[in-house]
Amino acid sequence: MSFAPLLPGERRPRDGAPTTLGVLGGGQLGRMFAQAAQAMGYRVAVLDPDPEGPAAQVADLHVPGGYTDEAALQALAQACDAVTTEFENVPAQALRSLAAKVRVAPSADAVAVCQHRAREKAHFTACGVPCAAHVRIESPADWQRQPLPDELFPAILKTSTLGYDGKGQQAVAGVQQLPAAWQELGGVPCLLEQRVPLALEFSVIVARDAVGHCVHLPLQQNVHRDGILAVTQVPAPGVPEPAARQALAHTERLAAALDYVGVLCVEWFLLTDGRVLANEMAPRPHNSGHASLEACDLSQFALQVRTLAGLPLPAPRLQASAVMLNLLGDLWFAPPRRAAGAPASAPASAPAAGAGTTAHAPDWPAVLALPGVHLHLYGKVEPRPGRKMGHLTVTAADGVQALATAREAAERLGLPPP
C-alpha cells in the first residue's frame, strides 16, 4: 500500500477545492490535530455531534452527525481528501464506509483490534509480545465450568470495549468477588487480567507510513491517579535502556502486523523484576505524547498529519526535557491556593470532587510566571470532576529542572506534586 502525497494548498482537479483532511471525533485530540494540519496549510473538516466541541471550534468545516450517520459520513468523504480518527471508540464500520470513498488511516481493521481488549491481547500474543496473564469472561460459565487459576488473582476485570481513563474496570481480589464485579460492569463481555507488580508505567508512540517506514517519539514515563493520566516525564527517567529497546521493538512489530498507518501508542508496564509487559494500544495520538508539542521538533500531531497526507516522515528530535501535568475539571472547584512567591504551607493534595459548588478559573498567571511553562486549554466550557480540561507542559534543559518547575507549578495550582 502506498499513498500519493496530498500537498498543502493543492487544489482538486474535480472541483478546485483546497486539500482538506478530515477527522472523526470532536475532542481535544482532534483539536490539536486540526491546529497542526492548519499550520501546514491544510483545511480541516471535523465530524462530531457537538458543534461546540474542542475540534469543531477550530475546524474549517464542521459536519454535524453521529459516527454511524451515513449522510454525515458521505458529507465528510465528499469534503475531504483523507480522513483519520481521534479516538478508538469510533465504530470501525464508520471507517470502512469512509474507506470506500476516501483515503482512511488508520484502517478500520487496525482500529477494531485496538478498541477491543480481547482482540488486542490476542494480537499481542500472535506477535510474541508479552502481556499480563488474562482470560475472557463473557458469561458466568467462564468461571463456573472450570476453576480459574489461583495465580490469576488479584486481578482487574475490564470491559472488552468502551473502557478508558479507568472506566469499565473493577478490582477482583479472588474468584468469590468475580460475580459481583461482573454484574457491576453490566454483565458485558470482559477480560480478567492479572494485577502485576509494577515498578512504573511508560508509553511508546510511533508513527508509521504507508510504505512501512516507522519513527518514534522519545519514551514517556507516566503516573496515573484514579485511572487517569496525571503526569508524564520526557525522556522517561526510570526506564532502563534494555527495557526501552525491547518495548520499542515490540511496538514496531505490533504496528507492522496491523499494516498500521498513522500514530500508534502502546502503554507498557515495567515490572519490579525488570520485565516489560504490553498493557494496551491506542490507534491515535495519546495524552502522554502532548509534551511533544514543545519538547520535540515534530509533535505527535504533526506526525499524524504527515502519515495521513503521505508526506516524508523524519525521526522527531528531542529539543528539551519536559514534564506534562493533566488539568482536570476538579481544579476549577478547588479552594484558592497560596499566591505566587508566598511561603509554601502543607503539601498540596488532590482537589476533592465537590470541594466547591461554583467553578472558578485557576490562577493561570501564577503558573505562567514560571520559566518554560506552556498552557493548553481545550475550549471546554463546563468543567466537571475527572474531565480533561487542558494540560501544562514544562520544558527545561534537563529533566531535573523540568521536574522542579513542574512541582512549583503544581503547588501554585493545588495539584499533587509530580
Side-chain angles (χ1 to χ4, degrees):
M1 177 175 59
S2 63
F3 292 156
L6 299 173
L7 303 180
E10 189 176 33
R11 297 210 167 243
R12 302 174 183 164
R14 66 178 187 270
D15 57 13
T19 307
T20 301
L21 304 181
V23 58
L24 283 171
Q28 61 266 18
L29 298 178
R31 180 188 184 95
M32 289 181 272
F33 166 83
Q35 291 167 332
Q38 289 163 340
M40 294 176 63
Y42 293 100
R43 285 171 52 84
V44 176
V46 170
L47 188 153
D48 188 68
D50 183 5
E52 299 300 323
Q57 293 173 17
V58 303
D60 298 284
L61 172 65
H62 173 237
V63 179
Y67 307 120
T68 58
D69 183 334
E70 279 298 331
L73 293 171
Q74 176 63 36
L76 184 70
Q78 190 168 359
C80 295
D81 299 278
V83 177
T84 189
T85 180
E86 66 120 29
F87 73 122
E88 63 266 43
N89 288 327
V90 67
Q93 185 53 43
L95 295 171
R96 290 192 181 94
S97 176
L98 283 168
K101 309 173 186 73
V102 68
R103 176 190 303 183
V104 171
S107 70
D109 289 344
V111 172
V113 171
C114 298
Q115 67 187 195
H116 192 283
R117 285 192 169 105
R119 293 180 200 143
E120 188 176 65
K121 288 291 195 288
H123 183 64
F124 293 162
T125 301
C127 291
V129 173
C131 59
H134 59 276
V135 295
R136 296 177 69 157
I137 301 292
E138 298 192 352
S139 75
D142 290 321
W143 68 81
Q144 292 172 348
R145 64 188 171 199
Q146 60 184 12
L148 295 176
D150 291 339
E151 58 269 22
L152 194 60
F153 298 95
I156 304 173
L157 187 66
K158 303 177 178 181
T159 57
S160 290
T161 60
L162 302 179
Y164 63 95
D165 286 346
K167 298 178 176 67
Q169 300 187 17
Q170 289 285 320
V172 181
V175 71
Q176 299 83 1
Q177 295 182 339
L178 188 52
W182 188 65
Q183 289 296 334
E184 183 68 24
L185 293 176
V188 298
C190 290
L191 199 77
L192 184 68
E193 182 177 312
Q194 181 187 45
R195 188 185 289 274
V196 294
L198 282 181
L200 56 84
E201 299 176 70
F202 67 101
S203 53
V204 176
I205 296 176
V206 298
R208 187 175 185 273
D209 66 18
V211 295
H213 178 53
C214 198
V215 298
H216 65 92
L217 292 175
L219 270 62
Q220 296 87 204
Q221 185 168 317
N222 304 317
V223 174
H224 291 79
R225 298 189 181 115
D226 298 324
I228 302 175
L229 182 67
V231 181
T232 293
Q233 290 178 264
V234 181
V239 181
E241 183 59 31
R245 287 197 304 270
Q246 184 181 18
L248 177 58
H250 283 324
T251 300
E252 292 181 347
R253 186 178 304 120
L254 292 169
L258 291 170
D259 197 16
Y260 195 87
V261 177
V263 171
L264 176 73
C265 175
V266 180
E267 295 183 78
W268 291 89
F269 296 146
L270 178 66
L271 305 193
T272 52
D273 63 7
R275 290 182 295 146
V276 293
L277 300 182
N279 177 26
E280 59 187 28
M281 301 188 293
R284 50 164 173 79
H286 192 262
N287 201 164
S288 66
H290 289 346
S292 64
L293 286 163
E294 284 84 26
C296 298
D297 61 348
L298 284 176
S299 74
Q300 62 175 342
F301 302 102
L303 294 172
Q304 187 182 21
V305 172
R306 285 173 178 245
T307 56
L308 183 62
L311 296 177
L313 203 60
R317 295 177 297 182
L318 185 68
Q319 297 180 314
S321 296
V323 176
M324 189 278 296
L325 305 178
N326 245 350
L327 304 173
L328 305 183
D330 310 65
L331 190 58
W332 274 249
F333 298 93
R337 308 304 298 179
R338 69 181 177 92
S345 54
S349 58
T357 56
T358 303
H360 59 86
D363 189 358
W364 303 130
V367 294
L368 292 174
L370 296 169
V373 170
H374 310 267
L375 173 64
H376 294 263
L377 295 177
Y378 303 148
K380 298 179 181 179
V381 175
E382 182 187 358
R384 296 193 299 268
R387 190 182 197 195
K388 293 176 182 175
M389 299 296 292
H391 70 270
L392 279 182
T393 301
V394 179
T395 56
D398 58 61
V400 173
Q401 183 56 57
L403 187 58
T405 304
R407 284 173 174 157
E408 177 62 21
E411 167 64 24
R412 293 185 182 188
L413 285 176
L415 294 171

